[in-house]
Amino acid sequence: MKITGNTILITGGGTGIGRALAEALHAKGNQIIIAGRREGPLREVAAANPGMAFATLDITDPAAIKAFAATLVADHPALDAVILNAGIMKAEDMLAEPYDLTDAEATITTNLLGPIRLVAALLPHFKAQGSATILTVSSGLAFVPLAATPTYNATKAAIHSWSQSLRHQLKDTGIQVIEIAPPAVATDLMPGHAENPHSMPLADYIAETVSLLETQPEAAENLVERVKFLRNAERSGHYDQVFAQLNG
């Protein structure tokens, strides 16, 4: 992926990692379109970054995704990249009686079905472009789970696997698939994340992530140093120790 001159859609672009990536890539000379459910934060980000565009999207609604993609391509025919960043993370008590599936089902719809549906809607346009980039966002927890957030971990493991399959199926096209796997980052994804001393500062995470996109444009995975102990736990034979450390 080239670091400048793209037209990039970023879902979940109104807050957290999505907003920070949008602003960093905007500063690199890309046309950025941020999307999310709430218009207020999107409008605020766009106003703070002249030239940035925004559009509302309910990533949980299949019909809304199709309509959004059609309008997006019509309004931004140069679109050649998407960062599938929108996601939710909820703690779940699987010992509760009854075990309420509301959060689990919402997490699957948002974190897994949403990206799959959006890519399906955008693929015809990307194939016609000749060159494009799909950037999925998994997590270090795709590789070693945090037991308190079981469905979140599962969706991110699924995104990792899906990214590999998508990359293989698109290998003879001009579409690149890059998986971004963040560690814990100081955002409001979950209560306490922003204040947790073990969370990576957001500015540091974005600087390293964008640097990797720039210096390793052909890399299949975008891995900051702080996430590698999770990504490589099983490879290195340290899975049990890392799982215990994470869930101790």
Side-chain angles (χ1 to χ4, degrees):
M1 176 186 178
K2 62 185 188 297
I3 198 63
T4 192
N6 306 289
T7 299
I8 307 172
L9 168 67
I10 304 178
T11 65
T15 58
I17 288 175
R19 173 175 183 165
L21 274 176
E23 292 180 332
L25 292 171
H26 176 73
K28 287 286 187 180
N30 298 284
Q31 171 62 60
I32 302 296
I33 308 104
I34 53 173
R37 295 183 192 178
R38 296 181 295 143
E39 182 176 332
L42 299 173
R43 186 178 296 278
E44 177 187 336
V45 176
N49 297 274
M52 190 180 292
F54 73 91
T56 57
L57 169 64
D58 182 355
I59 199 71
T60 69
D61 184 338
I65 289 173
K66 287 184 179 181
F68 170 85
T71 300
L72 179 73
V73 168
D75 291 345
H76 301 278
L79 182 75
D80 60 357
V82 59
I83 302 178
L84 301 162
N85 171 74
I88 59 175
M89 183 179 188
K90 303 284 187 180
E92 300 169 63
D93 181 2
M94 299 178 70
L95 293 175
E97 296 182 6
Y99 170 36
D100 186 351
L101 291 172
T102 301
D103 285 342
E105 292 172 355
T107 301
I108 292 168
T109 302
T110 303
N111 295 7
L112 182 57
L113 292 178
I116 292 173
R117 289 166 174 161
L118 183 55
V119 166
L122 292 176
L123 262 180
H125 172 74
F126 283 164
K127 287 190 285 188
Q129 290 290 78
S131 177
T133 308
I134 297 169
L135 298 100
T136 62
V137 178
S138 62
S139 168
L141 301 181
F143 308 101
V144 183
L146 178 66
T149 57
T151 306
Y152 176 84
N153 310 327
T155 59
K156 293 305 184 177
I159 286 292
H160 169 66
S161 179
W162 183 72
S163 300
Q164 291 179 308
S165 297
L166 182 65
R167 184 181 301 115
H168 183 77
Q169 290 201 20
L170 295 177
K171 68 183 189 311
D172 294 325
T173 73
I175 304 173
Q176 184 182 8
V177 178
I178 299 172
E179 178 186 350
I180 300 174
V185 177
T187 70
D188 293 323
L189 179 62
M190 271 191 75
H193 258 41
E195 298 78 28
N196 190 330
H198 299 295
S199 294
M200 185 173 184
L202 178 59
D204 294 347
Y205 174 71
I206 295 300
E208 190 173 347
T209 296
V210 172
S211 175
L212 288 169
L213 288 173
E214 187 167 17
T215 59
Q216 301 177 22
E218 301 302 319
E221 296 180 358
N222 183 293
L223 304 171
V224 300
E225 287 299 319
R226 287 276 289 267
V227 82
K228 289 181 180 178
F229 83 104
L230 295 168
R231 175 64 182 94
N232 298 324
E234 190 162 9
R235 290 174 173 174
S236 65
H238 295 101
Y239 182 91
D240 291 343
Q241 296 96 311
V242 174
F243 181 91
Q245 176 185 347
L246 195 62
N247 293 288

